[in-house]
Amino acid sequence: MDMTNVFYFLLASVALTLMPGPDILFVATQSMVQGKKGGIMTALGLCTGLLGHTAAVAVGISAVIYHSALAFQILKYFGAAYLLFLAWQALKSSGTGPVKQKTLKQNAFALYKRGIWMNLLNPKVSIFFLAFLPQFVSPHAGSITLQFIGLGMLFIFQALTIFSLVSVGAAALGEKFLQPFIRSRGVHWIEAAIYTILGLRLVFMEK
């Protein structure tokens, strides 16, 4: 793989990851609410989902989603339904009493799974990878499939690094300024609002 291409790919990847978007917003919010561990588990889930999108680009599934309006719509509405289901679950939890720190920590693995499904069920991520990765592939640098996989892994590595740093910073802010509110039932309303916004964003998203 051309090292110049790799350098420019990493620069572009870092810039794109740092741009305000649903993933970094979700990681920051969960870190403030659930603490550093919850934020990092969320980041791990999102990046695990990126493995699926990398594989989809490498074997051509992303191209099918891009060229099939039906496949795009089905995946989009499944993703939106999943997010709205999470919002409904959060609202149900708002009636169970104040949130204890122990309960928050027990949600870490659930956040990991949510991160995976949120990314896998977002067709926009698949299309983004389909458009982004080929720009840095060289036909003279060996197997195209292996180059896609290598670039995808580099993107995941830098995204996980940035998300982890965001988690640490956001958790520190949450610990300092938001703890009384976080331990109240209002935290579930925040989670429900975030899931609803992300779900509706997916519903009205176009290619």
Side-chain angles (χ1 to χ4, degrees), residues 2-144:
D2 189 335
M3 294 309 296
T4 302
N5 269 2
V6 171
F7 175 73
Y8 286 119
F9 174 79
L10 281 173
L11 283 182
S13 298
V14 169
L16 289 167
T17 302
L18 287 171
M19 289 177 63
D23 284 357
I24 202 164
L25 170 65
F26 188 61
V27 169
T29 305
Q30 293 301 329
S31 299
M32 294 178 77
V33 172
Q34 305 277 3
K36 179 176 65 176
K37 181 180 177 182
I40 291 175
M41 290 299 285
T42 299
L44 281 170
L46 291 169
C47 290
T48 302
L50 291 178
L51 288 173
H53 289 295
T54 298
V57 171
V59 302
I61 295 174
S62 293
V64 173
I65 294 172
Y66 178 76
H67 291 292
S68 170
L70 178 61
F72 181 86
Q73 294 295 327
I74 288 174
L75 191 58
K76 180 177 81 169
Y77 287 121
F78 265 110
Y82 177 68
L83 288 165
L84 293 175
F85 170 71
L86 292 178
W88 176 73
Q89 280 192 320
L91 287 176
K92 278 181 61 179
S93 298
S94 67
T96 60
V99 182
K100 297 180 180 178
Q101 193 64 30
K102 183 179 177 182
T103 303
L104 292 176
K105 292 180 179 179
Q106 289 172 340
N107 287 336
F109 187 65
L111 287 170
Y112 173 71
K113 292 189 294 183
R114 290 176 190 179
I116 295 174
W117 285 112
M118 282 176 62
N119 242 339
L120 286 179
L121 293 175
N122 188 345
K124 202 72 172 182
V125 179
S126 193
I127 290 173
F128 164 72
F129 263 43
L130 182 64
F132 183 57
L133 297 186
Q135 298 180 52
F136 300 91
V137 168
S138 171
H140 307 295
S143 167
I144 300 296

